[in-house]
Amino acid sequence: MTQEALVTQGPLTTETGAPVADNQNSETAGAGGPVLVQDQLLLEKLAHFNRERIPERIVHARGAGAYGTFTLTRDVSQWTRAKFLSEVGKETETFLRFSTVAGNLGSADAVRDPRGFALKFYTEEGNYDLVGNNTPVFFIKDAIKFPDFIHTQKRDPYTGSQEADNVWDFWGLSPESTHQVTWLFGDRGIPATFRHMNGYGSHTYQWNNAEGEAFWVKYHFKTDQGIKNLTTDEANRLSGVDPDSHQRDLRESIERGDFPSWTVQIQVMPVAEADNYRFNPFDLTKVWPHADYPPIEIGKLELNRNPENIFAEVEQSTFSPANFVPGIGPSPDKMLQGRLFAYGDAHRYRVGINADHLPVNRPHAAEARTNYRDGVLYDGRHRGSKNYEPNSFGGPFQTEQPLWRSTRVGGVTGNHPAPRHAEDDDFVQPGNLYRRMTEDEKGRLVDNLAGFISQVSRDDIAERAVDNFRRADGDLGKRLEAAVLALRA
């Protein structure tokens, strides 16, 4: 597929527009002499080359993305006043970035790892970012544990490699991780492509309607291509043959007009039901059973346009769950609360304070009106306007209309664990997940878990890891213990 040239034909120039006479030979003091520091083109090229990369994301570094369209197929005005969700048939431009979590920028796509599912809606009320994964749950409940968790997944500071000891030590000491680990080492732990997996908002969010009523909501994106996964052996072979397999598949499917799509669903919980629900509905390690809150189909997401420049549009794309629009807001989910700060802060460090000025990040269907000025890459968009509010010179003004409804809180400040509910338990849901598997799926789960746990060097760490699965389901624990012992022997 040929790409239209965006740089016009004509003489090559420097960044400041001066024509380049010779782009093949550095300027020297005579033939064969030393290079002169006055060679502006040489210095400019080398200096730019040294700075062509920005710091990679600490997590979700390896990714691919595409533009698309979200189409609303159901009236949801009873739950939210968001304008992009206001009319059946309404279309909203989107950008979706897929990613792996633990690997660095040069890692392979076909690995056992959660997949990021970060979706930007370019709405008429500003950009709305929904930052999720391909799993409905996560490893931990509280953002204060996130840096420690990620350190266990990354390279050990001494060995320079990911260490099974670190991974299973943390998971074994954090029983709340058992549900997500069961997902990760099951069949869906290695999707065949980005197109053949579901996406989830994972967190609980608030929707609020025009009458002032609030609801708790979870998002589901069900792939219309069907679920397809890779076995460990298939993934290992593919990673060696084509490390870019998932990125290539996404790009080529859109190029040939085979646009991937997802059916969008929500679960809705009335706010009044949250306090007395049988477990904490804001616990990111748990799902809401569909029997309690059936998924409701509300729309269709289609990806239909590839980025023209991966660095500009994928690598520099930024997402933050703090980017809400009227009618949508946060919940007391402690992981979400930490991410409201951490995502934006990461992008300000990594891309720059004016990252939101970049085409992929700025609003496409709305206008940004701020009093922020200056900083790296500031584009001068404000010209001579005043940089404070309120002012008497026609500047932007506050609306006095909050984006979301207030949430009732109370009690004494302190480092509190989340409130306990009647059936809060770290092992019920992973046990239920295991018991829903076929016998073949159970066998692969045990093999995948045992293969990794058997690499642990200390017996106590391995035993504690197995015990968490035993507490989820006795049969799973018994089979896993036998498999680990056989491999460690």
Side-chain angles (χ1 to χ4, degrees):
M1 182 179 179
T2 59
Q3 296 292 321
E4 212 175 288
L6 299 180
V7 178
T8 58
Q9 187 71 24
L12 179 69
T13 74
T14 65
E15 287 281 19
T16 55
V20 173
D22 189 337
N23 193 42
Q24 316 306 318
N25 304 289
S26 301
E27 187 175 355
T28 61
V35 173
L36 298 179
V37 75
Q38 72 184 33
D39 189 339
Q40 167 61 19
L41 178 64
L42 172 66
L43 301 187
E44 180 181 275
K45 287 180 70 175
L46 295 181
H48 191 282
F49 181 76
N50 286 345
R51 293 162 175 81
E52 281 182 0
R53 295 294 174 264
I54 58 178
E56 71 174 39
R57 291 167 167 88
I58 301 297
V59 289
H60 298 280
R62 173 78 173 180
Y67 295 92
T69 304
F70 169 76
T71 304
L72 188 70
T73 59
R74 178 187 174 121
D75 181 5
V76 295
S77 58
Q78 62 180 302
W79 300 304
T80 181
R81 57 192 169 95
K83 287 187 178 179
F84 81 102
L85 300 173
S86 64
E87 183 181 344
V88 172
K90 190 165 189 175
E91 296 184 351
T92 301
E93 183 189 3
T94 62
F95 183 78
L96 175 57
R97 184 178 185 270
F98 303 98
S99 58
T100 52
V101 176
N104 57 31
L105 193 57
S107 59
D109 288 338
V111 294
R112 188 172 298 281
D113 200 13
R115 301 303 191 273
F117 196 95
L119 182 60
K120 187 182 298 293
F121 297 86
Y122 300 101
T123 90
E124 64 265 52
E125 296 177 293
N127 291 350
Y128 171 46
D129 290 351
L130 183 60
V131 183
N133 286 326
N134 71 326
T135 61
V137 293
F138 196 61
F139 299 92
I140 52 177
K141 309 176 184 183
D142 193 318
I144 202 169
K145 298 180 69 171
F146 189 76
D148 299 296
F149 162 61
I150 293 300
H151 286 164
T152 72
Q153 306 298 301
K154 292 287 190 175
R155 299 178 185 275
D156 182 87
Y158 173 69
T159 68
S161 302
Q162 187 192 59
E163 295 296 335
D165 280 8
N166 301 353
V167 173
W168 287 108
D169 189 32
F170 182 87
W171 285 346
L173 292 168
S174 305
E176 67 203 70
S177 68
T178 307
H179 194 187
Q180 172 72 315
V181 175
T182 305
W183 271 86
L184 180 60
F185 284 82
D187 283 358
R188 296 193 184 190
I190 314 179
T193 77
F194 291 134
R195 297 181 295 124
H196 293 93
M197 67 181 195
N198 292 340
Y200 301 89
S202 301
H203 295 290
T204 300
Y205 293 93
Q206 185 202 96
W207 276 14
N208 57 90
N209 63 23
E211 288 71 43
E213 299 173 297
F215 306 85
W216 300 125
V217 171
K218 282 185 176 289
Y219 296 91
H220 303 253
F221 297 79
K222 298 302 182 73
T223 175
D224 296 326
Q225 290 68 238
I227 296 289
K228 291 184 181 180
N229 305 299
L230 300 172
T231 66
T232 301
D233 289 342
E234 289 171 337
N236 289 341
R237 287 194 297 270
L238 183 58
S239 293
V241 173
D242 184 8
D244 303 323
S245 58
H246 288 35
Q247 301 189 29
R248 188 186 317 282
D249 174 84
L250 178 66
R251 184 187 70 251
E252 291 180 351
S253 70
I254 294 175
E255 286 177 345
R256 64 176 179 265
D258 182 12
F259 301 142
S261 64
W262 288 259
T263 297
V264 185
Q265 303 172 339
I266 57 170
Q267 290 177 282
V268 181
M269 176 188 291
V271 164
E273 297 181 14
D275 287 346
N276 297 314
Y277 188 54
R278 50 200 175 96
F279 58 81
N280 180 3
F282 310 115
D283 181 346
L284 186 56
T285 67
K286 294 180 175 61
V287 298
W288 294 356
H290 291 185
D292 292 352
Y293 299 100
I296 301 166
E297 183 176 328
I298 67 164
K300 186 73 71 174
L301 173 67
E302 178 187 86
L303 300 182
N304 47 39
R305 180 165 66 90
N306 282 318
E308 295 181 351
N309 185 283
I310 297 300
F311 179 79
E313 298 167 84
V314 178
E315 185 64 12
Q316 291 193 126
S317 64
T318 63
F319 302 84
S320 172
N323 291 340
F324 294 111
V325 294
I328 304 177
S331 78
D333 177 341
K334 294 180 80 172
M335 272 299 299
L336 173 60
Q337 290 285 319
R339 283 173 166 161
L340 296 178
F341 161 75
Y343 275 62
D345 186 61
H347 301 319
R348 284 186 285 271
Y349 150 72
R350 196 179 65 85
V351 184
I353 193 63
N354 290 307
D356 288 332
H357 292 197
L358 297 171
V360 69
N361 298 323
R362 68 188 179 213
H364 290 189
E367 178 185 355
R369 303 183 188 92
T370 73
N371 289 315
Y372 309 141
R373 299 291 193 278
D374 307 338
V376 176
L377 296 181
Y378 176 60
D379 60 9
R381 64 180 57 184
H382 299 87
R383 299 183 181 176
S385 62
K386 303 299 182 184
N387 62 348
Y388 59 90
E389 192 280 331
N391 71 55
S392 304
F393 298 88
F397 51 86
Q398 65 186 33
T399 67
E400 300 183 6
Q401 297 176 355
L403 304 187
W404 58 84
R405 301 294 299 174
S406 299
T407 303
R408 178 175 51 84
V409 297
V412 180
T413 61
N415 297 94
H416 303 293
R420 294 285 298 178
H421 290 237
E423 297 181 21
D424 275 337
D425 186 284
D426 291 326
F427 303 106
V428 170
Q429 292 201 1
N432 290 340
L433 178 60
Y434 174 75
R435 289 184 286 273
R436 283 197 297 268
M437 295 180 180
T438 66
E439 191 58 34
D440 286 346
E441 290 172 334
K442 290 178 179 178
R444 288 189 291 269
L445 171 65
V446 169
D447 289 345
N448 293 334
L449 287 168
F452 196 10
I453 295 174
S454 65
Q455 299 174 33
V456 171
S457 66
R458 285 174 44 176
D459 289 342
D460 61 323
I461 294 177
E463 290 168 2
R464 188 165 53 235
V466 171
D467 187 59
N468 280 343
F469 294 100
R470 183 182 294 109
R471 295 170 71 183
D473 183 272
D475 176 68
L476 172 57
K478 181 178 179 180
R479 295 170 65 172
L480 182 57
E481 180 180 24
V484 171
L485 286 174
L487 289 172
R488 288 173 71 81

